[in-house]
């Protein structure tokens, strides 16, 4: 196995041209997935490109109403940055542990493409976009298009995430809920982000996203759109209907962390409960 440590981002992209390399950022998913016996080297199954030292990608910058998050900005940096959206800060406060948050990245959360990824859930709700570079081209895609299934992304061979773009919007109400086995270092059994903005008493923007209940994050813009323009009171009166609208998309699995029945019940309860809180 080759271990490649490029000195510049350009060099990293040139290496990626050569075939299918595994990109290692913070390594908090990759090291676990390739773990070996104690005191033996990590058992990588592919040649690995170590990008963690590329300072060029370690930035968070605000440009107007857009936050640009470099692929090597850690959660810790995001948590401390004044422009990081509050919903993302709430999520990061419950993500892994302080030590991991110093090295793990949002780009790695996307690249790992777990349906239970907490950062990805927030990115869906905030309409984030992903900028992908290869040695010869750049493209920008919505987060929904970046992840195609559990552990699967739409990245082409030779591409890597350079930056994540998060629109900065004000919400009057936000709720992030993570249901896990314990408060820290727990992968979500179910996760939820609800956000709403009002014009007076009228809802002008409603966002509801669920994690760990389908092959990718569940966010249904067509359902959200149906309820914009209603008052909070009207919305509450229709909470059961909203719950039923989401039910067909809530199709979790049984695994070592939880059962499908529990996940389904909790996910739909979280939606209904949030609607009642507005
Ligand atoms: C103890 C523990 C607790 C955890 N708790 C949580 C939790 O609460 N919530 C949660 O969501 N996750 C959790 N995780 C998972 C992990 O920490 C996150 O998914 C993290 O965001 C991964 O980032 P990383 O930089 O370490 O990724 P890495 O492990 O370096 O990479 C992960 C994947 O992304 C790809 N990748 C990385 N960077 C790029 C790039 N720039 N372009 C393209 N592909 C890229 C890699 O090739 C790999 O496939 C936990 C992990 C551990 C070990």
């Amino acid at each position: 196995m080759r271990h490649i440590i490029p000195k510049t981002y350009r060099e990293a992209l040139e290496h990626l041209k050569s075939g299918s390399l595994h990109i290692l950022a913070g390594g908090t998913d990759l090291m676990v997935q390739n773990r070996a016996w104690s005191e033996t080297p990590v058992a990588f199954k592919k040649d690995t490109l170590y990008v963690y030292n590329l300072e060029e990608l370690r930035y968070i910058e605000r440009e107007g109403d857009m936050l640009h998050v470099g692929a090597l900005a850690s959660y810790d940096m995001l948590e401390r940055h004044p422009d990081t959206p509050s919903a993302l800060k709430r999520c990061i406060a419950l993500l892994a542990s302080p030590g991991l948050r110093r090295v793990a990245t949002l780009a790695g959360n996307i690249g790992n493409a777990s349906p239970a990824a907490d950062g990805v859930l927030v990115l869906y709700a905030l309409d984030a976009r992903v900028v992908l570079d290869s040695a010869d081209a750049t493209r920008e895609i919505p987060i929904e298009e970046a992840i195609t299934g559990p552990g699967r992304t739409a990245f082409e061979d030779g591409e890597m995430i350079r930056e994540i773009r998060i629109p900065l919007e004000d919400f009057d109400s936000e709720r992030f809920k993570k249901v896990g086995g314990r408060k820290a270092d727990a992968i979500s059994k179910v996760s939820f982000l609800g956000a709403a903005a009002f014009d007076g008493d009228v809802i002008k923007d409603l966002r509801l996203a669920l994690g760990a209940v389908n092959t990718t994050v569940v966010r249904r813009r067509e359902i959200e759109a149906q309820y914009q323009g209603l008052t909070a009171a009207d919305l509450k009166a229709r909470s059961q209907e909203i719950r039923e609208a989401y039910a067909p998309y809530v199709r979790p699995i049984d695994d070592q962390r939880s059962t499908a029945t529990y996940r389904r019940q909790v996910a739909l309860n979280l939606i209904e409960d949030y609607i009642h809180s507005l």
Side-chain angles (χ1 to χ4, degrees), residues 39-109:
E39 294 181 31
T40 61
V42 185
F44 287 128
K45 293 162 203 80
K46 279 165 104 177
D47 293 344
T48 303
L49 184 73
Y50 293 76
V51 296
Y52 195 69
N53 58 336
L54 298 180
E55 291 302 320
E56 294 155 87
L57 301 186
R58 203 179 319 280
Y59 60 85
I60 302 171
E61 283 162 12
R62 180 179 186 153
E63 246 179 62
D65 287 337
M66 189 68 78
L67 195 67
H68 299 252
V69 180
L72 286 171
S74 65
Y75 289 120
D76 182 55
M77 281 171 69
L78 278 161
E79 200 172 15
R80 287 183 287 113
H81 198 280
D83 294 318
T84 301
S86 49
L88 187 54
K89 286 194 176 180
R90 283 177 221 269
C91 158
I92 292 172
L94 297 174
L95 197 150
S97 56
L100 259 87
R101 296 201 287 265
R102 289 183 74 87
V103 291
T105 63
L106 256 186
N109 208 230

Side-chain angles (χ1 to χ4, degrees), residues 21-33 51-52 57 71-72 75 94-97 100 103-113 116-120 132 155 159-162 178 182 185-188:
L21 295 177
H22 226 148
I23 297 164
L24 187 139
T28 62
D29 277 316
L30 226 47
M31 299 290 263
V32 174
Q33 287 156 10
V51 296
Y52 195 69
L57 301 186
L72 286 171
Y75 289 120
L94 297 174
L95 197 150
S97 56
L100 259 87
V103 291
T105 63
L106 256 186
N109 208 230
I110 299 171
N112 194 50
D118 295 319
V120 172
L132 296 164
F155 311 160
E159 277 186 334
M160 68 175 277
I161 301 172
R162 171 174 27 110
K178 170 169 173 156
R182 54 187 176 191
D185 266 354
I187 304 292
S188 296

Side-chain angles (χ1 to χ4, degrees), residues 125-172:
L126 298 185
D127 288 337
R129 300 176 69 82
V130 180
V131 179
L132 296 164
D133 280 342
S134 64
D136 309 315
T138 293
R139 64 186 176 120
E140 184 182 322
I141 54 174
I143 183 75
E144 291 98 314
E145 287 176 24
I147 298 175
T148 53
R152 292 199 310 273
T153 64
F155 311 160
E156 309 278 351
D157 274 353
E159 277 186 334
M160 68 175 277
I161 301 172
R162 171 174 27 110
E163 123 175 346
I164 300 142
R165 296 189 175 159
I166 309 175
L168 297 171
E169 288 171 89
D170 288 330
F171 295 100
D172 299 300

